[in-house]
Amino acid sequence: MQDTNTSFPETAANGTAAPEHAHTLTKAQLKADKPTWCPGCGDFAVLAAYQKLLEKLNVPQESIVTLSGIGCSSRFPYFVNTHSVHYIHGRILPFTTGLSLTRPDLHPFVFIGDGDAFSIGGNHFDHCARKNVRMTVIVMDNQVYGLTKKQTSPTSPVGFRSKTDPWGSKVTALNPTKKLISSGASFVARTIAANPAHLLEMLEEATNHDGFSVVECLSECVQFNGGCFDGAVPRKGGEFPLVPDDHDVTDEEAAYALTKKRFPGYFGVYYKSRRPTLNETEAEIVGQAESRPKGLLASEVLMSALERLT
Amino acid sequence: MQDTNTSFPETAANGTAAPEHAHTLTKAQLKADKPTWCPGCGDFAVLAAYQKLLEKLNVPQESIVTLSGIGCSSRFPYFVNTHSVHYIHGRILPFTTGLSLTRPDLHPFVFIGDGDAFSIGGNHFDHCARKNVRMTVIVMDNQVYGLTKKQTSPTSPVGFRSKTDPWGSKVTALNPTKKLISSGASFVARTIAANPAHLLEMLEEATNHDGFSVVECLSECVQFNGGCFDGAVPRKGGEFPLVPDDHDVTDEEAAYALTKKRFPGYFGVYYKSRRPTLNETEAEIVGQAESRPKGLLASEVLMSALERLT
Amino acid sequence: MKDQSLPALDKDPADGASILSVPRTIRDSVIRIAGNSQDGIQSVGAMLARLAGRSEMDVMTYMTIPATISGGPSIFQVHMGAGEVLTPGDTSDILVAFYQHSYEDHLDNLRDGGILLYDSTHVRPDIGVLRARRITPAGVPMTSLTIEVLGGTGKQKGKNIFLMGLLARAFDLDMKKVRKLIKERFAGKDESVVRNALLALNGGYAYSIGNVMSLYSFEEPEATGRPKVTMTGNQALAYGAIAAGVRFGAAYPITPWTEVMEQLRRDLPHYGGTFLQTEDELAAISAALGAAYGGTVSMTGSSGPGIALKSEAISYAVMAEIPILIVDVQRGGPSTGLPTNVEQSDLNQALHAGHGDAPRVVMAPANVEDCFYLVIEAVRIAHKYSVPVMFLSDQALATRIEAFNLPDLSTLKQVPPAPREALATHMAYDLESITCHAPPGTRIKDGKYPNITGLEHTENGHPSANPKTHAAMTAKRRDKLVALARELPPPEVYGPREGEILLVGWGSTGGIIRESVDRAASQGRTLSSLHLRHLNPLPEGLEEIFLRFQHVFVVEMNDCDTNGCGHLGRLLRAETCLKRIRGITKTDGLSFRVREILQRLPEVETAAETP
Amino acid sequence: MKDQSLPALDKDPADGASILSVPRTIRDSVIRIAGNSQDGIQSVGAMLARLAGRSEMDVMTYMTIPATISGGPSIFQVHMGAGEVLTPGDTSDILVAFYQHSYEDHLDNLRDGGILLYDSTHVRPDIGVLRARRITPAGVPMTSLTIEVLGGTGKQKGKNIFLMGLLARAFDLDMKKVRKLIKERFAGKDESVVRNALLALNGGYAYSIGNVMSLYSFEEPEATGRPKVTMTGNQALAYGAIAAGVRFGAAYPITPWTEVMEQLRRDLPHYGGTFLQTEDELAAISAALGAAYGGTVSMTGSSGPGIALKSEAISYAVMAEIPILIVDVQRGGPSTGLPTNVEQSDLNQALHAGHGDAPRVVMAPANVEDCFYLVIEAVRIAHKYSVPVMFLSDQALATRIEAFNLPDLSTLKQVPPAPREALATHMAYDLESITCHAPPGTRIKDGKYPNITGLEHTENGHPSANPKTHAAMTAKRRDKLVALARELPPPEVYGPREGEILLVGWGSTGGIIRESVDRAASQGRTLSSLHLRHLNPLPEGLEEIFLRFQHVFVVEMNDCDTNGCGHLGRLLRAETCLKRIRGITKTDGLSFRVREILQRLPEVETAAETP
Ligand SMILES: Cc1ncc(C[n+]2csc(CCOP(=O)(O)OP(=O)(O)O)c2C)c(N)n1
Ligand SMILES: Cc1ncc(C[n+]2csc(CCOP(=O)(O)OP(=O)(O)O)c2C)c(N)n1
Ligand code: SF4
Ligand code: SF4
Ligand SMILES: [Mg+2]
Ligand SMILES: [Mg+2]
C-alpha cells in the first residue's frame, strides 16, 4: 500500500499558505474568453474589479480559483484566466466548501447571481454562513433572472413586472444583507458595479477577511431591468449613502438595523467579525486525531484498526 | 368539454370557509394509531396539545389536514385521525403551499423536526415566510436527529456530542426564531412540550393568525438528548422566562433582539403582524383575470384564445 | 403525405430543369432567413407561419437561438405549402441573407438551383460559386431602402417588415391578410409604429426584384373549411394543459421549458387557476403534488436538470399514488449541456428517475398538434390511474411553429377537480381497485380519515413492513401500468405493414421520419415507419410488428451503446429481445434531417438477422 | 463450499435421525436469538460472530431492526461453522426465545428436529407442537437466574451475557476467548460493569441444561494461520474507502447508510482526512465534488432517496469528468418505503440517475469482504477514468457480520491525491486521451488555466455548441466505459460451464445463490451460477456464457416486468437479446432464502427457448 499519509497541507496562520515571493499578475495574464454579456451589463465592471483585485493580491496565479453556479453572472469563470469551475445552479457554495476545507492553500472566489444565491441556493448560504467556511462570495444582484430572460427573482422589488409576474410582483423581496447577517456570515458588505472604486474596496476587504465573506453587488441588467439601480448612481440623479462612519461593524443588531433602510440602502461593510472558521475547527480535529497514533503511517493506523476487529 | 370553471372555492374574510355549525370533536374521534415514540418522548405532549386544539377549534373534522416530512416528529400524522400526509424529508412546506393556495377551505397543520425544518428544508422556510403562505407550522425541536439515531442537527448546541460529532459540535447552532423573524414569517412563537398549557396557548394563537405562522416547540428526545431542556423546566430546576410583557410583537427589530437571550431564552410570541398572504394576492390576480371575460365558461375563454392564434 | 407528382420547386437538382425557365405554381417552399437575433427575423418568420395557417396551408418552422444573451447570428426557417408539411426542410429553396456572415454560414444549406435573396447593403456574394450551383441571386439594398422608406432616421428596425413585403410580392401573397397580421402584431403599440410598419411593408412589396421571384405563387390548398391555428409546441402544450383541466402548476424557470410556465402563469387565472414560480424545482413538484392531493388537476415541468432535482418526489408520487403531469422539455445534456439545442437524451431519466421500483407513465408528443392533444390524454391517464405521467417534449418542438386545425373543444374530455362528496368509508390504498384518493375536505362517515404516505403502507395508508403487504402493494403499483398498456391504441405502421426496413421513432422526429419514408418512396425504395407516443408502458403488439421487418432502426437524438442502440432502442431490445433492432442515433444538438436518416440505412443488405 | 457429506446437524428432517440420538461434532450451526431490541441480543450475536472469526470459523449474521424508535421485537441470527458459510441460514438449528412473542413468531423458522432454548421465566411452549416437530425444548429461567446471579437488584441487563454463557457451554466454546471478548466489549466502562458481565457469563456457563446441548462441539476448522476480521458490510465499506485513499467525504444521514458516514467522520481524521455532515444530499455530493476537484480522493453516499437528490450533480460529475465514489446502501423503496428492509431496487437509478447521456460506472459488492476490496477497485476506476462510480450495497450487507481474512495492506493499491507539479500546458478535456484534471494549485506554464464545466465544452473547457464538438465529447465520455469493459476480469461461472440452468445475481445475494447451487447439488440437481460485480459497464463475454445454458434466471430483490425480469434481467436482455433470460424476483423486503430460489426453478423443463 502506497503510503501518502494525505493530510491537509500545512496551514498558515490564517489558513492560507503564505506566498513565497511576489506574484504580480497583469491584466493580460488574466484575460480569457471575450465576455458574452450584453453591452452595458453591470457584470463587466465586476469582472474588471476582480481582475484589478487579483493584480493587487500578490499570490501565485495557480492558487486562485474562480467558481460559479449558473446564470449570466455565473459565466464569469470563462472570462478570467484562473483555475475555474462552472458548476450547477445554486450549489456552488457546498462545492466550494469541499474545496476550501481540503485545500487551504487556495483562494476560492465565488461569483453568482441573486437567483442562484437566494432562490435555489438559499439554504446553502445559511449553512455556509453558520459554519463560517472560508471563501469569498460575490453576489451579482440584478434583481432579475437574466439568463432565462426576465423572471421574478427573490430580490425583485414589489411591483416588478416580469414574464412570471406580468402584473407586477406582489411578494416581499428578500433582503440579501439581512439574510446574510442573520444567518451568521462573518463578513457582509454591499456595493454596486456602477461604483468601481467602492466595489474594488469591498472586494479587497472581503478577500482579507478570514471566514465566510459575502459582498452583495448591485449589477444592472440592462437587458431586462434597465435603470433599476439609477437611484443609487449619483451621476444618474441617485444617491450613494455609505454605511455611517459610527457604525460598529461587530454589532450584529446594529448591522441588522442598517438593512432596514429603503432603496438605495447603505453601501459599505455592514458586519465583520472574526470567529473560528470550519476550516480551523476541522483542522483542529484532524490535528488532534493525527497526533494520537504518533508518527504512524496511514497504513499502520489502518492495520491496527483492522486488527482490533480480529 | 366538460365545463367546470374550476376556481378557488369562495374565500371567507380570513381565507377560510366559515364553519356552518358547531363541530366539536372528541378525543376519541381524533385517535388513530398508537404512537410509536419512545416512552417519555416530548412529542407525546405535542400530540396531546394538538388534539386539544382540534377539540376546541370548532371546524369540521374533514377540513383539518395534518402534514409532515420525515423524522420521529413527522410520524405525527399517523397518530391523529384527520386527512393527513406523510411526505418526504424537508419538503412539506412547498407541498402545503400547493394545498393551501388551492384549498382555502382547509386548515393545514404541519409538524416537523428541527432537521427536516432547518437542515434539508431550510430554504423552503425562507420562501414560505417571505411569501406569507397561509399555514401553521410546528417545529418539534429536539436539537438532534432522532429518527436516524443521534446525529448533529443545525440546532444542536456547541459541545453537543453526537455520532457525527463524537468530540462535540464546534459549529454555531441555528437559532430558529431568529431565522424565522428575519426571513419574514408573520407569526413566530416559541414554546416547550414540557409546558402543555403554554404550548396549547401558542398553538391557538398560531392557528388564529392569518398567514405563515410558526411555533418552535422544544420537545425533548429522551433517547438521544435526554435532559437537554431541563434548564427550561422549572420543576427540574430550570426557568421558563416569558417574552416580556412590554414587548411589541409587531416590532421586528425588537423581536430579533429577543432571540439573543441565551438558553433557555424567552417563551411566547416573538413576532406577529398582518400583511397580505400569498393566498390573498393570488386570489386577487385570479379575481381580476376571471372578471375580465365576464361570465364566460372556461371553454369559451380557451376557444377565444385559440381563435386568436388562427 | 406530400404528393411527389405535383409540380414543386425542384428538390433534386439532378433533373436539370432550371428554376428560371418556366413560371409555375409551387406546392411548398422552404425559406430560410439568416441574420442576427436583434433583426426581428423571428417575427417575420412567425408572421409567414401564421399567414400560411390562415391560408389553410401547412407550415413548420425551425429556429436557432444564439448561445449568448447579448445575441448574435440566428436563423428562422419557414417551410410552408399546400401539401402536408412534415419537416422544417432539410435544405432551403430560398435563402435570405442579411449579412455577409449569414450568406457565408448558410449558403451550403441553400439547395442547388435555389434563390439567394440578400441585403446588398451588407452582402457581397461570390457570383462564380452561385453560378456553378445554379443559384439565382437577387440583391436588394434592404437596409438602405428601409431607411429611405421610413424617413432616413437611421433606424433599420423595419428591415424585417420590408422583407415581408418583398416576400409577399415574390410569392403573390394576399396583401390584405398580411396587413391584418401586421396590425395585430403591433396592436396596442403607438399609432406611428403601425404606420411605419405598413410603410416598410409597402416599400418591400413595391420593390421589383425583377422577374426572378415574381414567378411563383402557392398552389391553392384544399379548403377544409376548418380554420388553422399556428403556434409553437410550448404554446400548444400550455393550451393543452388548460384544455385538459389543469388548474394549478408550479415550476422554476429553465430553458426551453420556461415559456410553458410563463404562459400558464399568465393564462391560468382566466380559468380560475394559478401557477406558482417556486424557489427551486424540488419545491415546484412538491407544491404541484400538494395541489393534486387537494384535488386540483395539477402539473409541474422543467428541462433535464430540473427533472433530475424532482427525482425523489417522483418516487413519492408513485408510492403515494398522486396523479400529476410532469413535463420535461428536453435540451442537450448531460448537466448544463447545450441549453438551446435539441436532444432526446432524457428518456432514460423519464423512465427511471427516482429510487426503488417506481413505475410511472412516459409519453412523448410527435409534433405541435400532439403537444395539445396528447397532453390531454396524459392528464386523463394520470387521473384514471393515480400515477405521475412524464411528458417528454424537446427544444425543437418547443420552439417550432406548426399549423393544425382549430380544436373542437366540445369533443375533448376535461378532467374535473376531484369530487368531495361525503363517503361512507374510504381506503386510500385499496388492493382491490385502482387507487382514487378522497381529497381533504371529504367527510368520511365511518370517521376513519386516510393517510397519504411515502412509507410502504396498508390499504388504509398506515405504515407496514409486512413482507406480503410490500409485495402486494408493489404489484398494485405495477399492475396499473399493465392495465393501461391493454387500453392503449395499437401502434400503427406508416407504409407497408411488412418489408425490409422499419423506422421507429418517438417525440419530435415524427414528421422527419415520415418524410424519410416518403422521400425514400420517391427514390424507389420502400420503407415503413412506426412512431411511439407511449414509451411506458409500451403498447402491445410491437414484437409481432418488428418480426415482419428484416431490420428495425430506432431513430433518436441520443447516444448509442455498443450495439448502436439509443435509449428507446435498448428499451425495445429489452422488451422484445430482437437483435434486428438497431439504432440510428446522433448527438450533435441538431434535429435529424431526412438525408441523414436515409444515408444511414443499409444498402439493400437483406441478409437475415443472426439470432 | 460446505461439504454435505460431513456430519452436520440434520438439515433435512426427512432422514428421520433424531438429534438426541448421537452425540456429535457439528460443522456449522444457525442460532437465532429472538427478543426485544433493548435486550442486547445484538451484542451477544456480534460476540458470537467475533468469536467465530477468532476461531478461524466462517460466520454470517442477520438481524432485523424494529420499525419504531421505541424499539420492539427484534432478532439476531448467527450462522457459524468450520466450512464456508455463505448465508445467514434459511432456517435455524437453535432458536433462543426470550419472550412468548419471540417463541410464537419464530418457531416456524426453527427446523424440525431443532432445539428450542427458551427463557422459562417468560415463555410457555406448546409441548405438543414441539413433539410433533421433534423439537427439543430446553427451558432455562434466564431472567430470574440473571437477577439472582447479579444480586437481585431487579436488573435484567445481563440476560444476554448469561445467554452467552449458556451457549458457550452448549457448544463447548473456548471460555478464555469468550472472557477476553467481554472484557474488550466493556473496555473503558466502569470496573463493576465488567465484573457483573463476567458474573452473568459464569452463571450461564455453570447452568446445566441437561444433556441436550452439551453434546455439540464445532469441528476444528482448517487453520489458515491468517487471522480473520469480523465486521459488518458498512464497516468494511468504510475501511475499504480509507484503504482506497479516500480522504474526504460528505453526506447527510439516512438509514442504512448512516454508519458508514459515522465511522468515516470518526476515523478519517486519523488519516489526515475529514468527513462533513452537510445540510442535505445536494450539498453533500457538491462538497465531495469540490474536494475531488481539489485533488483529494473523495466520496459521498446515501440510500435511495438521497441518491435521487444527487441526480443532477451526478450528471455534472459525468460531464465535468470528476472522479468520485458514490455509495448507495439500498433499502426498500420507492420513496421512504421500507427504511430498515433490504431491496435491490436502486439499480435502475444507479444506471440512469440524472439527465442526458451520462455514462457512469456501476458496481456492487457480493459480500462483506467485497465491501472492503471492491470499494478499493471502485476508487481506482473512478480515478483512472475520471468518472463517478456508483457503488450499490444494501441493507442486508450493511448490517450483517461476516468474517474474512485480515487484509494484507501491502498488496493493495491506494489512490494518492492528484499531483500538482507544474505543467507546460494542459487541456482539461483533451479528445486524444482519457481526462485527467490538473487540480487548482497546479501551475500551467503556458499561462492558460483550465475550466471545469457542466456546459458542453471544447478540449480546453470553454463552452461550445458546435455540433461536432458535442458528438465527439459525448463519444469521449462513453468510450471510457468501453475501455473499462475491456479491462474487466471475465465473469466466472460457479459450477459446470454449461448446462440447463444458470443463476445470475448481483449484490448481497452472492452467498445465497452459491449456496443454492450447492444445495441443489446435494439434492442431485446440477445448477451453475454467475455473480456480477460490474453492472456498468458489463464485463464482456456474457452472451457466450448465457448461450451455453438453456435457462438463465436472474435472481434479484426488485420488481419484475411482464417478462418476469427485474432490473438486471432487463439490462441483460437489452444487452444480449436472449429470451432465455428470465427473472426470479421478489419484493417482500427480506433476503432471499435458498429454498425460495430453488422452489422457483422450473421442474426439469428442458424445452428449448423459442426465439
Ligand atoms: C437546476 C436548474 N434550474 C434552472 C436552471 C435555469 N437557470 C439558469 S440561470 C437561472 C437564474 C438566473 O438568474 P440569476 O441567478 O439571478 O443570474 P443572472 O442571470 O441574473 O446573472 C435559471 C433559473 C438551471 N440551469 N438549472
Ligand atoms: C432525502 C432524505 N434524506 C435523509 C433521510 C433520513 N432522515 C430521516 S429523518 C431525518 C432527520 C430527523 O431529524 P429531525 O428532522 O430533527 O426529526 P426528529 O427525528 O428529531 O424528530 C433524516 C436525516 C430521509 N428520510 N430522506
Ligand atoms: S441579460 Fe442582463 S444580466 Fe444578462 S448579460 Fe444581458 S444585461 Fe447582463
Ligand atoms: S428517538 Fe427521541 S425524538 Fe425519537 S421517539 Fe425516541 S425520544 Fe422521541
Ligand atoms: Mg439575477
Ligand atoms: Mg430533531
Side-chain angles (χ1 to χ4, degrees), chain A residues 165-228:
Chain A
D165 277 313
W167 36 71
S169 166
K170 296 177 193 284
V171 159
T172 316
L174 182 147
N175 182 326
T177 42
K178 191 188 212 180
K179 177 190 170 78
L180 292 165
I181 292 163
S182 61
S183 62
S186 58
F187 179 96
V188 181
R190 188 160 176 271
T191 185
I192 188 166
N195 188 335
H198 190 264
L199 166 56
L200 181 58
E201 193 188 320
M202 292 302 108
L203 290 189
E204 284 192 88
E205 280 217 46
T207 306
N208 290 332
H209 177 75
D210 184 17
F212 186 66
S213 56
V214 190
V215 179
E216 185 208 358
C217 175
L218 302 183
S219 176
E220 182 183 344
C221 172
V222 292
Q223 188 77 14
F224 300 119
N225 204 3
C228 56

Side-chain angles (χ1 to χ4, degrees), chain D residues 61-79:
Chain D
T61 71
Y62 166 73
M63 63 188 266
T64 64
I65 301 161
T68 61
I69 287 289
S70 55
S74 169
I75 67 158
F76 200 101
Q77 181 166 314
V78 183
H79 184 183

Side-chain angles (χ1 to χ4, degrees), chain A residues 80-92:
Chain A
V80 57
N81 183 28
T82 68
H83 280 286
S84 66
V85 177
H86 191 208
Y87 191 48
I88 56 177
H89 194 37
R91 319 281 169 206
I92 191 59

Side-chain angles (χ1 to χ4, degrees), chain D residues 557-604:
Chain D
M557 296 178 281
N558 55 41
D559 197 31
C560 61
D561 61 13
T562 41
N563 298 313
C565 287
H567 298 212
L568 178 62
R570 265 181 97 79
L571 182 68
L572 295 175
R573 275 195 164 208
E575 193 66 22
T576 63
C577 287
L578 293 174
K579 276 204 174 157
R580 68 191 65 185
I581 297 171
R582 276 177 290 169
I584 294 184
T585 69
K586 67 166 192 170
T587 57
D588 61 1
L590 304 174
S591 283
F592 264 107
R593 292 160 182 220
V594 170
R595 206 190 320 139
E596 282 175 314
I597 296 175
L598 296 182
Q599 274 167 0
R600 288 172 65 180
L601 294 177
E603 280 306 322
V604 213

